[in-house]
Amino acid sequence: MEAKDMFANLGSIIASSMFVWAMFQQYVPYQLQHNIEKYCQILVRFVCPYIQIRFDELTGDYDMFRSEAYTAIQAYLSSRSSTQAKRLKADIAKNSQSLALRMDDHEEVADEFQGLKLWWASGKEASNTPSYWTPEEKRYYRLTCHKRHRELILGPYLNHVIKEGKAIEARNRQRKLYTNSDSKWSHVVLKHPASFQTLAMDPEKKKEIMEDLIAFSTAEEFYERVGRAWKRGYLLYGPPGTGKSSMIAAMANLLGYDLYDLELTSVKNNTELRKLLMEVSSKSIILIEDIDCSLDLTGQRKKKKKKNEKDEAEKKKDPQQKPEKEEKETEESKVTLSGLLNFIDGLWSACGGERLIVFTTNYVEKLDPALIRSGRMDKHIELSYCRFEAFKGLAKNYLQIESHPLFGRIRELLEEANLSPADVAEHLMPKRASGDPTFSLESLIQGLQKAKEEARLKAEEDAKKKEQAAKEEAKDQEKVVTADE
Ligand SMILES: Nc1ncnc2c1ncn2[C@@H]1O[C@H](COP(=O)(O)OP(=O)(O)OP(=O)(O)O)[C@@H](O)[C@H]1O
Ligand SMILES: [Mg+2]
């Protein structure tokens, strides 16, 4: 028996002995027995070198709420319980995606922190405020540790337990995919199989992106220290089918974040945008796909500038005339570039923290530079046509091969033809029941040859058009010169 058990039981042992003694004395009133036990406990507390901290499952008035600390401790202890406790309880918790194990009532597990030993015990007792909305029994965890380490335990250790417990909860919870319509979010369970393992791209680039994401998700203290809101913007750009959307799903899966797929075209105006964004929880990715199509973000500021110039000119002509203020109410009630910039920079977008804002586009050159400057879109990631390194990833994933005699030919062709990873993946889909990868690779070679040929024809056609245009321009110039003479 450990020393702390001896001390914990000492009170009851002394009390029981005294009770037996009292029985001998016969007819000891209940109140006296109670007092004997109480003073024995006080005595033990005085000499006992251990402290105990209790965390109740239910808190608040009338025990109506489940305690956050209790839930975090439960998650924290789950791995320790599964290796140490003799009696376990298993269940799939609400909003969780995996089986959670926890120690049964009146079990105990030990833990270590900076070389110190501590003990967690689970217990339950009858509720003294029973009502129809609270259970009859109240559960709790009790932490026992040596008095000497009080400061370390009450500060760093408990912070560590709560932080780690919450991280475990976040990893296990079911993630959600939110979409907006009628100025409200609705959600489904997010179950996308994409991961960074299955994403075919240059391994170095992939590693860099993963490290960047993990560094972000663990940098709460850094952001706090340097006084920045805990958010980061990513711009993913590249031709269709190069894996932009797949990468976003992989990001959400890697970090365990929820995904808010914001459809800007169905947001009425900047106010509605703000309202929607204030409802976004932390640990989430706010995604705006095809940003160049979502809004006239490229031209709106320019247009506005032109409009102001036009108003000024009109005013000079007729000072009485009012500018075209409300004339385009409908146009103005749309989400604007400045509204979007406010959303990225605004104070309210930082409420809750830990958010990624991701934009995707096929045409990065069309975007307003203000939108994609550092601090708004911090990291620009280009996803491009499939080259050999990415192909190897796809072959490993789809065909489970790491080499093949046809790889040499494919390598040459991938340098010459532009095929997106989506197109390459299509060729690698199972072609025959036999599962022989040669058929898929041959199909890919044909696809690459076709793409190469099409590119050659297009280049020839473009060259011809260019030549024709140059000839016509020369002719026009000749005409001008003759006319001048
Ligand atoms: N880099 C990649 N690695 C693995 N699979 C890929 C990759 N790129 C594309 N794919 C496959 O192609 C399909 C389409 O890719 P995805 O939707 O991610 O492309 P996208 O870049 O978002 O295209 P778009 O610009 O048209 O939205 C995916 O379902 C995935 O299976
Ligand atoms: Mg996409």
Side-chain angles (χ1 to χ4, degrees):
M1 188 188 274
E2 302 239 19
K4 55 110 193 157
D5 294 326
M6 249 169 58
F7 278 103
N9 293 331
L10 201 57
S12 338
I13 294 168
I14 297 173
S16 312
S17 328
M18 301 223 18
F19 178 68
V20 172
W21 169 80
M23 286 294 285
F24 272 112
Q25 301 297 309
Q26 281 190 350
Y27 310 119
V28 176
Y30 171 77
Q31 190 55 40
L32 182 59
Q33 283 173 41
H34 183 75
N35 284 342
I36 290 171
E37 183 159 356
K38 193 170 115 191
Y39 289 113
C40 286
Q41 294 282 9
I42 292 172
L43 178 71
V44 169
R45 238 175 281 149
F46 187 68
V47 290
C48 174
Y50 293 94
I51 54 166
Q52 292 190 327
I53 309 162
R54 182 178 148 137
F55 298 87
D56 285 315
E57 182 180 14
L58 302 169
T59 60
D61 294 341
Y62 308 109
D63 287 341
M64 276 171 72
F65 305 105
R66 196 172 150 87
S67 150
E68 254 185 71
Y70 182 91
T71 327
I73 293 167
Q74 193 169 58
Y76 175 82
L77 293 177
S78 59
S79 62
R80 283 149 190 89
S81 306
S82 57
T83 51
Q84 294 182 34
K86 288 195 183 122
R87 286 174 303 118
L88 294 158
K89 277 187 177 174
D91 195 7
I92 294 181
K94 197 180 161 213
N95 290 333
S96 174
Q97 54 181 354
S98 54
L99 200 64
L101 289 170
R102 58 191 169 90
M103 56 175 146
D104 202 352
D105 302 323
H106 310 299
E107 276 284 317
E108 189 180 86
V109 293
D111 191 19
E112 261 191 37
F113 184 69
Q114 298 185 4
L116 305 179
K117 200 163 183 194
L118 322 103
W119 299 268
W120 285 97
S122 59
K124 68 173 176 186
E125 63 186 16
S127 170
N128 45 13
T129 53
S131 64
Y132 69 87
W133 64 72
T134 50
E136 283 172 12
E137 288 171 331
K138 294 203 303 188
R139 293 200 150 69
Y140 60 85
Y141 284 117
R142 178 171 282 146
L143 171 66
T144 308
C145 62
H146 203 284
K147 266 181 190 169
R148 266 201 309 269
H149 314 302
R150 176 188 282 266
E151 293 211 343
L152 183 70
I153 301 307
L154 294 187
Y157 175 68
L158 282 179
N159 283 344
H160 155 80
V161 170
I162 300 295
K163 205 168 164 189
E164 175 118 331
K166 285 193 170 178
I168 295 171
E169 274 182 90
R171 277 201 297 277
N172 289 340
R173 86 196 154 110
Q174 260 181 359
R175 278 160 312 101
K176 292 178 186 136
L177 169 63
Y178 291 83
T179 44
N180 62 303
S181 65
D182 298 332
S183 67
K184 278 199 298 283
W185 291 110
S186 51
H187 68 259
V188 291
V189 173
L190 173 62
K191 271 192 181 164
H192 196 295
S195 70
F196 275 94
Q197 279 70 39
T198 62
L199 204 63
M201 63 186 291
D202 178 48
E204 283 295 308
K205 206 166 152 186
K206 191 195 292 194
K207 191 165 162 252
E208 187 204 314
I209 298 167
M210 286 172 77
E211 281 175 359
D212 190 86
L213 287 165
I214 290 169
F216 168 79
S217 69
T218 52
E220 182 175 12
E221 276 160 29
F222 168 81
Y223 278 84
E224 216 166 278
R225 182 159 50 81
V226 299
R228 281 176 74 132
W230 191 14
K231 57 181 183 168
R232 190 159 171 78
Y234 283 76
L235 173 71
L236 308 188
Y237 65 96
T242 48
K244 296 180 289 302
S245 304
S246 310
M247 181 178 277
I248 293 155
M251 284 175 168
N253 287 339
L254 176 74
L255 300 177
Y257 285 5
D258 289 330
L259 199 54
Y260 287 78
D261 188 356
L262 181 63
E263 179 54 61
L264 273 188
T265 49
S266 50
V267 181
K268 278 199 213 88
N269 50 37
N270 293 336
T271 317
E272 193 178 301
L273 177 69
R274 188 174 306 165
K275 181 185 162 286
L276 281 170
L277 291 162
M278 282 179 85
E279 285 168 21
V280 171
S281 61
S282 59
K283 287 192 183 294
S284 57
I285 299 178
I286 302 166
L287 165 66
I288 305 183
E289 288 257 37
D290 299 318
I291 184 76
D292 52 299
C293 310
S294 302
L295 284 176
D296 185 13
L297 293 176
T298 47
Q300 238 164 37
R301 291 214 305 188
K302 288 170 210 152
K303 256 191 217 161
K304 217 171 194 175
K305 218 169 154 190
K306 272 190 192 153
K307 184 176 169 288
N308 289 344
E309 280 165 12
K310 199 176 137 204
D311 285 348
E312 286 295 312
E314 298 282 324
K315 220 175 180 181
K316 271 180 200 159
K317 268 193 241 160
D318 177 5
Q320 300 297 67
Q321 190 193 326
K322 283 186 189 164
E324 304 170 53
K325 203 178 108 213
E326 273 88 35
E327 124 221 90
K328 299 233 164 101
E329 193 65 47
T330 43
E331 214 174 84
E332 301 233 332
S333 66
K334 288 258 184 258
V335 175
T336 60
L337 174 64
S338 67
L340 195 64
L341 296 184
N342 278 341
F343 137 56
I344 302 169
D345 301 343
L347 285 175
W348 41 270
S349 73
C351 305
E354 205 174 354
R355 286 171 192 175
L356 294 177
I357 301 164
V358 185
F359 289 173
T360 72
T361 181
N362 295 137
Y363 307 99
V364 68
E365 64 287 349
K366 280 195 192 173
L367 299 181
D368 191 311
L371 185 65
I372 57 177
R373 72 147 166 79
S374 296
R376 286 189 180 132
M377 291 295 109
D378 305 281
K379 198 161 174 62
H380 297 192
I381 300 170
E382 182 180 8
L383 289 147
S384 192
Y385 293 114
C386 189
R387 301 292 172 228
F388 189 62
E389 284 304 318
F391 160 75
K392 280 206 297 192
L394 285 173
K396 194 172 170 197
N397 196 15
Y398 280 67
L399 306 173
Q400 282 153 11
I401 53 171
E402 292 193 30
S403 65
H404 192 278
L406 291 176
F407 271 22
R409 179 75 187 119
I410 290 173
R411 181 182 207 135
E412 282 167 24
L413 284 167
L414 282 170
E415 295 305 320
E416 296 162 353
N418 286 338
L419 222 57
S420 69
D423 290 332
V424 172
E426 190 47 46
H427 287 288
L428 302 186
M429 294 295 279
K431 293 280 180 299
R432 303 271 168 98
S434 69
D436 185 352
T438 311
F439 297 107
S440 302
L441 296 177
E442 279 169 350
S443 156
L444 174 62
I445 290 176
Q446 281 171 16
L448 284 164
Q449 281 168 337
K450 195 169 158 223
K452 188 179 157 190
E453 186 58 16
E454 279 169 5
R456 191 184 63 77
L457 291 175
K458 190 167 179 303
E460 272 179 18
E461 206 176 299
D462 288 349
K464 267 187 205 159
K465 276 187 193 161
K466 221 173 165 183
E467 204 179 311
Q468 187 72 20
K471 270 184 195 165
E472 274 166 21
E473 202 180 325
K475 259 188 206 168
D476 289 346
Q477 267 182 357
E478 243 173 59
K479 274 184 203 164
V480 173
V481 173
T482 333
D484 285 351
E485 283 169 0

